[in-house]
Structures are given as C-alpha cells and as structure tokens.
Amino acid sequence: MKKKFALCLAVAVTMISSLLLAGCGGSDANDTFKIGMECGYAPYNWTQNDDSNGAVKIENADGYANGYDVQIAKKIADGLGKELVVVKTKWEGLIPAVQSGTVDAVIAGMSPTEERKVSVDFTNNYWNSELVLIVKKGSKYENATSLADFAGAKVTAQQGTFHYTVCSQIPNADVQPAMSDFPAMRVALESGVIDAYVSETPEALSATTANQNFAYVQFTEGNGFTYTKDEAALAAAIKKGSSDLQAQINAIIDGISEEERQQIMNQMIQVQPSAE
C-alpha cells in the first residue's frame, strides 16, 4: 500500500511539474538565443539549401542561414550557453521583432545609428566598415575618385537604412526611390535602371565576386561620404533595458580578435552563393 501511494505521489508530482513548465513556456525559451535577420544580405547573411560551411536551419522556413552575421551569432550563442535559432524577418520588421520579444536580438548587418538607439539598445560593434558605391564595369563612373564625379547619376540605396540618407551628399545626383534589398539593387544596376547604389566594403566584395560586371568605387579621404564610425559599423540590437544580456554579449564580442573577425569575413565572402 505504501509503495502504491509513493508511486502515485511520484506520478502526481511529475504531472504537476510538467504542467508548471508548460505554463511557463517550458525550458526551451531559456535554452535558445533567437536572432532576427533578412537572410538576404550577403556576405552578412543569406539563405542556402543545406548546412554546409556552418549554416544554421531557419526556424519555420525552408533553407539554412549563413554569412558573417550567422557566424558571429553562433559565437555569441555558444558564449551564452544557448542554441542559436535564426528567424527570417523582413528588414522593416527587425526592430519591432526585438521590441516585442519575438527575437532576443537582431544580428543582421544593422548599424547602431542614433535614430535606432531611440527604439532599441545596441551591443559593442562586431564589425567596422566604410561606404562605397557599386557601379558597372565599363561605365563612366568606374574610375570615379570623388562624389562630384557622380553628378547626374541615378543613385539609390536600401530602404530604411542610413545608406539612403547619404545619397543626398552626392552633388546633383538623380536620387532614385529607395529599394527593398540588395538583390533588387543588383538587378537594377545590371539592367541599367540605376547607375550606382550605396553599400559597404564587404557587400561590395560580395557583389563584385558574384557578378564580374560590377565594380566598386572607394573614395580618397575628404572626397567621399561623411558619416560617423558607428553608422558604418555593425552591432547587435537588443530590447531596451536588457543590460545583463548586453554586458554578456559585449564580453563575447570583445573576446573575438580583429584578426579572427577578418578571417570570418574573408571565408564568408568566399563561400557566399554565386548568385542572389
């Protein structure tokens, strides 16, 4: 009788524990590090068909995510002792996703601009870059050395980024409406709809590697775009007030040497899909 009572008690405790865990969402939420990204901004992030080169399965979607952002996110997740989960999200939905708690962080080639800092907090930078213009080889803009050389050019950048705001710095440029993403801008450039688009050096290397008809223009000091260091850097966006998480991620990022960051970027540029 005592044995039966003990057995029944054990079963009851197990059932109650299960119900409590289910009511709290289980332990899964504590074991994962969910990040939002477009999965379409090589070499920072892209979608591929398998898990080669360290790619991660995208949650509730076909394909695997890879790129510089993914590899940095994996290091952060490992440092936190959590499993990385990638949630494919449109650019305009990234900040709302972290604000609502749908994701724990945005690691998506996002710059920690002052405007975004009103809505979310940012970690330390995990990449620093510079702005360039992507053009077609053989065009009159290929050998440009200053922004003034782009007078009259049809120029654009991605919607919702500070890249688009700097288009106004090009004297007498024919600034076109902002475009949804980088693959769309590459198509527009190839077809002649635009003469150039604003980008950063890693994406420029990605674009020119993927399409031999493309080139990019770097400007000498004083002849290019004006922007702050943070505007051309990348950092992880997290929910306002998440100071503990911010401190943990900062410690992990600071532990990745500049040499290792460059090695990761070089590798991702090499293994990126040949076409977007």
Side-chain angles (χ1 to χ4, degrees), residues 169-188:
Q169 296 180 20
I170 305 173
N172 302 312
D174 183 6
V175 179
Q176 301 293 299
M179 303 192 73
S180 59
D181 52 39
F182 282 82
M185 288 188 286
R186 293 185 186 186
V187 171

Side-chain angles (χ1 to χ4, degrees), residues 94-100 110 112-122 237-242:
L94 288 171
I95 286 181
V98 79
Q99 287 177 313
S100 66
M110 182 172 284
T113 62
E114 292 303 317
E115 181 180 2
R116 293 188 183 121
K117 288 177 182 178
V118 174
S119 303
V120 292
D121 287 336
F122 281 95
I238 57 177
K239 195 171 185 178
K240 277 283 187 184
S242 305

